[in-house]
Amino acid sequence: KAIRRQRQMCIRDSMDEYFVLFREYMLVQKPSSVNTRDSYLRDVSAFLRYLEGENITSPLEVETETVEAYVQHLHSLNRTNSTISRNIASVRCFYKFLILRGDMQVNPAKSVKLEKEPKKLPQTLTSEEIDLLLSQPNVTEAKGCRDKAMLELLYATGIRVSELINLNVQDINLRTGKLFCRGTKGVRTIPIYAKAVVAVSDYLYRMRDLIVDPDNSGDALFVNLNGSRLTRQGFWKIIKAYTAEAGITKEITPHTLRHSFAMHLLQGGASVKDIQTMMGHADISSTQVYVHLLDLDNHVKSVYNECHPRAKTS
C-alpha cells in the first residue's frame, strides 16, 4: 500500500507540474477570454485527474485511444454534447501547448471528434396558432398596444428578436410599408403587410409617447414601461405570457415567429432565395432547413403580398 501510495503521489506531482505550466501559458501567452481560460483550465484539470485514475503516469503517454476513452467517460457522466465538445477542445489545446514545448510530436486529441446529433428542425406555429397568439394583447392599454405591434412586426418581417429591439423609429416607413433592418450583414429592406402597418402606427401615434422616456430610450421604436429600450429578456417574458394565455402548448422560443414567417412563406410558394434575402441569412443553407418541413412544388412566385398568409387577407 505504501508503495502504491508513493507511486500515486509521483503521478500526481507529474500531472500537477504539467498543469502549472499550462496554466502559466494560458495566463501569459495564449490570448483568450477569462471564461474560455477558466473553462480550459477546469477541463484539463479534470482530464489529468482521469489519467491518474487510469494509472497513466504522465500526459506524455497519452494516445488517441485514451482521449476517446475519456470522451466515453464523459458520456457515462451524462455530460451534454456541448460540454464534451468543449472538453475535447480544451484537451486539444493542452497538447498543442506540449507540442510547442517540444514534449510531444503528435496531438492525440487532434482526430477526436464528437458525433454530431441531427439538427433539430425549427418549431413553428400554424397560421391558426399565429392568429390566436396575435389576438391576445389588449390594444386598449399601452402595453398591449406595444405588444401587438411587436408581434405583428416580427411575424410580418421574420427579423430576429435582437434586431427587433434595436429598431429605431426612423427604421420603419409606415407610408410605404417597409422596414429597414440594420443587422450584422448591413441593412436589408423588408416589406410589411397592412395589418402590421396598422398595429405599429397605432402604437407609434397613440401609445408610445405615453411610456417613452426620451432621456433613456433615444429613438428606440419599442420601449418598456419604464420608458427605456426593451431588452431581449423583456420580450421573451412577453411572448411566453401570451403563449400561455393563448393555450398554445408548443415549446416557444424568441425565434418561433421568425421560423413561422419562413415556413408560411414557403407554404405560400415563395422561393428559398427570396426568403434568404428577407431573413438576412448569409448562407442559403440556413434557409433551406425550412424546406425539410414541407413537401413543396418546384415553382417560384414573386413573393410577399401573394404568399404571406396575413398579407392575403389584407
Side-chain angles (χ1 to χ4, degrees), residues 231-242:
T231 65
R232 183 183 177 87
Q233 292 77 13
F235 177 81
W236 178 216
K237 290 177 183 176
I238 290 166
I239 196 169
K240 280 180 70 176
Y242 287 127

Side-chain angles (χ1 to χ4, degrees), residues 8 15 17 50 54 59 61 74 85 106 116 152 156 160 182 188 201 222 229 239 279 291:
Q8 287 173 340
M15 297 294 183
E17 179 184 348
Y50 167 80
E54 296 297 308
E61 299 175 10
L74 293 175
S85 292
V106 177
K116 289 186 178 178
E152 287 278 10
R160 302 170 180 87
R182 304 175 195 282
R188 63 188 190 276
S201 298
F222 294 112
R229 188 182 290 273
I239 196 169
M279 296 187 79
V291 178

Side-chain angles (χ1 to χ4, degrees), residues 225-260:
L225 297 183
N226 293 323
S228 54
R229 188 182 290 273
L230 191 73
T231 65
R232 183 183 177 87
Q233 292 77 13
F235 177 81
W236 178 216
K237 290 177 183 176
I238 290 166
I239 196 169
K240 280 180 70 176
Y242 287 127
T243 301
E245 289 177 22
I248 297 171
T249 56
K250 289 179 178 176
E251 185 181 345
I252 302 295
T253 73
H255 257 20
T256 300
L257 288 177
R258 178 170 165 84
H259 295 322
S260 301

Side-chain angles (χ1 to χ4, degrees), residues 133-280:
L133 179 65
L134 297 184
S135 68
Q136 296 308 308
N138 179 1
V139 296
T140 64
E141 299 173 350
K143 179 184 181 301
C145 185
R146 178 206 63 188
D147 296 348
K148 171 77 169 177
M150 287 194 301
L151 294 174
E152 287 278 10
L153 194 58
L154 267 186
Y155 181 55
T157 60
I159 61 175
R160 302 170 180 87
V161 173
S162 57
E163 293 169 336
L164 176 83
I165 62 177
N166 284 320
L167 287 175
N168 290 324
V169 173
Q170 58 267 31
D171 292 331
I172 189 165
N173 188 322
L174 296 172
R175 185 179 57 82
T176 60
K178 290 180 181 176
L179 179 74
F180 305 99
C181 183
R182 304 175 195 282
T184 56
K185 304 291 189 299
V187 181
R188 63 188 190 276
T189 304
I190 312 169
I192 310 170
Y193 57 67
K195 287 184 178 179
V197 170
V198 170
V200 177
S201 298
D202 188 35
Y203 160 69
L204 259 180
Y205 298 122
R206 189 167 63 90
M207 294 296 190
R208 182 178 178 275
D209 286 347
L210 300 179
I211 56 175
V212 71
D213 179 354
D215 294 331
N216 290 327
S217 66
D219 293 327
L221 178 57
F222 294 112
V223 297
N224 60 32
L225 297 183
N226 293 323
S228 54
R229 188 182 290 273
L230 191 73
T231 65
R232 183 183 177 87
Q233 292 77 13
F235 177 81
W236 178 216
K237 290 177 183 176
I238 290 166
I239 196 169
K240 280 180 70 176
Y242 287 127
T243 301
E245 289 177 22
I248 297 171
T249 56
K250 289 179 178 176
E251 185 181 345
I252 302 295
T253 73
H255 257 20
T256 300
L257 288 177
R258 178 170 165 84
H259 295 322
S260 301
F261 163 87
M263 280 290 295
H264 295 168
L265 283 178
L266 280 171
Q267 286 172 328
S271 73
V272 174
K273 186 67 178 174
D274 288 325
I275 296 171
Q276 177 195 6
T277 300
M278 285 185 277
M279 296 187 79

Side-chain angles (χ1 to χ4, degrees), residues 20-181:
V20 168
L21 292 170
F22 179 63
R23 184 174 60 195
E24 290 174 358
Y25 166 72
M26 292 295 293
L27 286 169
V28 178
Q29 296 183 47
K30 180 152 180 76
S32 57
S33 70
V34 173
N35 286 342
T36 298
R37 183 193 68 208
D38 290 349
S39 295
Y40 276 30
L41 291 175
R42 188 167 56 248
D43 293 344
V44 169
S45 177
F47 175 67
L48 295 177
R49 298 290 83 85
Y50 167 80
L51 297 182
E52 287 177 29
E54 296 297 308
N55 289 317
I56 296 173
T57 59
S58 166
L60 305 186
E61 299 175 10
V62 168
E63 297 181 350
T64 298
E65 291 75 13
T66 312
V67 183
E68 289 174 340
Y70 182 58
V71 170
Q72 293 308 311
H73 169 70
L74 293 175
H75 275 299
S76 72
L77 297 176
N78 293 320
R79 300 291 188 261
T80 64
N81 276 4
S82 59
T83 297
I84 296 174
S85 292
R86 194 200 62 225
N87 271 266
I88 294 171
S90 301
V91 173
R92 195 174 289 144
C93 178
F94 174 63
Y95 280 102
K96 280 182 182 177
F97 159 69
L98 293 181
I99 290 170
L100 282 173
R101 277 176 45 87
D103 294 327
M104 298 275 290
Q105 297 295 318
V106 177
N107 190 329
K110 184 177 181 181
S111 62
V112 177
K113 293 178 182 174
L114 184 66
E115 269 189 47
K116 289 186 178 178
E117 293 180 341
K119 261 192 175 180
K120 285 178 71 175
L121 292 174
Q123 178 73 274
T124 63
L125 300 177
T126 65
S127 296
E128 292 75 20
E129 288 170 329
I130 288 286
D131 288 338
L132 186 59
L133 179 65
L134 297 184
S135 68
Q136 296 308 308
N138 179 1
V139 296
T140 64
E141 299 173 350
K143 179 184 181 301
C145 185
R146 178 206 63 188
D147 296 348
K148 171 77 169 177
M150 287 194 301
L151 294 174
E152 287 278 10
L153 194 58
L154 267 186
Y155 181 55
T157 60
I159 61 175
R160 302 170 180 87
V161 173
S162 57
E163 293 169 336
L164 176 83
I165 62 177
N166 284 320
L167 287 175
N168 290 324
V169 173
Q170 58 267 31
D171 292 331
I172 189 165
N173 188 322
L174 296 172
R175 185 179 57 82
T176 60
K178 290 180 181 176
L179 179 74
F180 305 99
C181 183

